[in-house]
């Protein structure tokens, strides 16, 4: 009976780790459906990335705590093996196999590092002893997720190509200074206050839709802009004239990116790596606090106890 209770204590954090790993992978898969979030400045994207990093840190926290309590390779190996089955529930088989192999290696290396820490420490201070291992494992998990991200995005770009997200164009227009842009086919006419146009220019564009086609703009977009009155000397509202310029800017940017499509998946992966590492550095500051809280609760509830022992220390004498 005592042995069974001991096993239950040692395995307590194993299901918590497996559940957190499943949630983490599920959260990350939502980012592989589109690359628009990389260029987005919305708060919703910020919260999603924050949630993902939080899930990664919780996963690492639960695994390290499990290893500290288990202290046995016979218990750790089966749990690592089970964690390798989780990707097969959510990923295609080739990707799941790569994910499982790399995950097994990362978790095993992390356990061996923890095992060495448990052998060498002189005073049990969990925040100081295990916070580095938690952050290290979180970094490993980020790399693992990004390997899957690269494979997925690379496949998507090869099959469907890459389209610049509209959110990036909107951001570019917001931060673009006002300039004088000539309108092809209209003599002595310029868009003098970017991104607005005059009623005369708009009327001429409606009569000559081929001018828009030259820049890849659908002429049907003009139907959403009401025809100006001859006496109206004001400019077309900014939001409406911007709709004419967005396709033009998007076409030009697309032409610039197309020759480098083969390098785009790597570039997007590096951008995401930089973003996630920034969040990890920020939230990693709170890891020692949560480690201390967990072990304080475990000690206060008598779930774990401590003994004092004397060790021989080798010192240099000259």
């Amino acid at each position: 009976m005592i042995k069974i209770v001991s096993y239950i204590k040692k395995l307590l954090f194993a299901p918590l780790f497996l559940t957190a790993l499943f949630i983490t992978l599920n959260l990350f898969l939502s980012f592989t459906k589109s690359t628009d979030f990389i260029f987005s400045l919305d708060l919703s994207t910020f919260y999603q990335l924050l949630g993902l990093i939080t899930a990664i840190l919780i996963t690492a926290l639960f695994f390290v705590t499990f290893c500290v309590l288990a202290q046995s390779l016979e218990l750790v190996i089966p749990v690592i093996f089970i964690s390798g089955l989780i990707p097969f529930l959510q990923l295609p088989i080739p990707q799941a196999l790569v994910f499982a192999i790399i995950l097994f290696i990362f978790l095993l290396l992390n356990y061996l590092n923890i095992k060495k820490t448990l052998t060498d420490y002189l005073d049990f201070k969990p925040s100081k002893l295990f916070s580095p291992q938690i952050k290290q494992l979180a970094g490993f998990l980020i790399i693992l997720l990004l390997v899957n991200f690269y494979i997925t995005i690379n496949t998507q770009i090869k099959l469907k190509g890459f389209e610049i997200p509209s959110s990036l164009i909107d951001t570019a227009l917001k931060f673009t200074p006002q300039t004088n842009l000539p309108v092809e086919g209209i003599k002595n006419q310029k868009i003098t206050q970017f991104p607005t146009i005059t009623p005369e220019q708009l009327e001429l564009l409606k009569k000559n839709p081929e001018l828009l086609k030259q820049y890849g703009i659908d002429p049907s977009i003009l139907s959403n802009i009401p025809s100006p009155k001859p006496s109206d000397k004001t400019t077309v509202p900014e939001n409406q004239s911007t709709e004419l310029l967005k396709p033009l800017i998007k076409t030009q940017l697309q032409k610039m990116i197309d020759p480098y499509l083969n390098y785009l998946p790597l570039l997007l992966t590096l951008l995401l790596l930089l973003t996630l590492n920034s969040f990890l550095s920020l939230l990693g500051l709170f890891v020692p606090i949560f480690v201390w809280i967990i072990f304080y609760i475990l000690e206060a509830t008598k779930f774990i106890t401590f003994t004092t022992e004397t060790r021989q220390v080798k010192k240099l004498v000259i």
Side-chain angles (χ1 to χ4, degrees):
M1 184 65 182
I2 297 178
K3 192 173 183 179
I4 295 176
V5 173
S6 177
Y7 275 120
I8 293 176
K9 288 184 176 182
K10 292 180 178 181
L11 293 172
L12 175 65
F13 281 85
L16 297 178
F17 156 66
L18 295 174
T19 302
L21 179 62
F22 179 85
I23 294 174
T24 298
L25 184 55
N26 191 54
L27 288 174
F28 184 77
L29 288 179
S30 63
F31 289 98
T32 61
K33 297 177 181 179
S34 173
T35 58
D36 290 4
F37 72 93
I38 297 179
F39 308 100
S40 176
L41 298 177
D42 293 340
L43 278 178
S44 59
T45 302
F46 174 83
Y47 292 140
Q48 289 176 348
L49 290 171
L50 193 64
L52 176 62
I53 288 298
T54 301
I56 291 174
L57 281 173
I58 291 176
T59 302
L61 174 64
F62 285 162
F63 179 77
V64 170
T65 306
F66 158 67
C67 291
V68 172
L69 296 179
Q71 299 188 26
S72 172
L73 196 61
E74 296 178 353
L75 295 177
V76 173
I77 288 293
V79 173
I80 295 178
F81 177 79
I82 294 174
S83 68
L85 300 179
I86 292 178
F88 289 92
L89 301 176
Q90 299 169 290
L91 297 174
I93 292 180
Q95 290 179 235
L97 183 60
V98 173
F99 193 102
I101 293 174
I102 300 178
L103 179 65
F104 182 88
I105 295 173
F106 282 166
L107 293 181
L108 183 59
L109 290 175
N110 192 258
Y111 167 73
L112 294 177
N113 193 13
I114 294 171
K115 187 69 174 178
K116 184 178 183 303
T117 301
L118 290 172
T119 303
D120 297 340
Y121 78 89
L122 296 177
D123 187 16
F124 189 82
K125 295 181 178 179
S127 296
K128 183 177 180 180
L129 292 174
F130 307 123
S131 293
Q133 279 86 352
I134 294 172
K135 296 177 184 178
Q136 183 185 59
L137 180 56
F140 283 159
L141 291 175
I142 288 176
I143 294 175
L144 176 56
L145 293 173
L146 289 180
V147 169
N148 176 74
F149 177 81
Y150 174 81
I151 294 174
T152 303
I153 296 302
N154 188 45
T155 302
Q156 291 179 0
I157 291 178
K158 286 183 178 180
L159 293 177
K160 304 177 182 178
F162 175 78
E163 183 177 353
I164 297 176
S166 299
S167 58
L168 181 60
I169 306 298
D170 294 336
T171 302
L173 288 175
K174 289 179 181 178
F175 293 99
T176 301
Q178 295 182 348
T179 57
N180 293 328
L181 299 177
V183 180
E184 186 175 331
I186 306 179
K187 295 183 179 181
N188 301 323
Q189 294 291 333
K190 292 183 178 181
I191 301 176
T192 56
Q193 289 189 333
F194 181 82
T196 58
I197 61 177
T198 64
E200 292 80 4
Q201 293 168 349
L202 177 60
E203 190 65 24
L204 186 55
L205 288 175
K206 289 187 175 183
K207 294 178 180 179
N208 300 275
E210 64 275 2
L211 295 177
L212 296 177
K213 293 181 179 179
Q214 292 178 6
Y215 294 98
I217 303 176
D218 186 1
S220 63
I221 195 173
L222 297 175
S223 61
N224 297 326
I225 303 177
S227 298
K229 299 178 181 179
S231 58
D232 191 356
K233 301 299 181 182
T234 61
T235 58
V236 177
E238 181 178 308
N239 63 332
Q240 294 179 344
S241 57
T242 300
E243 294 301 317
L244 293 175
L245 297 172
K246 285 170 60 176
L248 175 60
I249 297 173
K250 186 173 183 179
T251 300
Q252 296 302 318
L253 290 177
Q254 196 73 48
K255 290 180 180 179
M256 294 173 58
I257 292 176
D258 285 344
Y260 306 99
L261 279 182
N262 292 334
Y263 305 100
L264 194 57
L266 179 60
L267 177 60
L268 294 176
T269 303
L270 292 177
L271 286 174
L272 185 55
L273 174 63
L274 179 63
T275 302
L276 293 179
N277 278 338
S278 300
F279 278 91
L280 179 60
S281 299
L282 176 63
L283 294 184
L285 299 175
F286 300 95
V287 169
I289 299 175
F290 287 103
V291 173
W292 180 85
I293 291 175
I294 287 178
F295 282 92
Y296 175 80
I297 294 174
L298 292 177
E299 183 180 4
T301 57
K302 305 299 182 181
F303 191 89
I304 58 175
T305 55
F306 296 92
T307 59
T308 302
E309 63 180 28
T310 303
R311 297 185 183 183
Q312 292 184 346
V313 180
K314 185 178 180 180
K315 292 187 175 181
L316 175 64
V317 178
I318 300 177

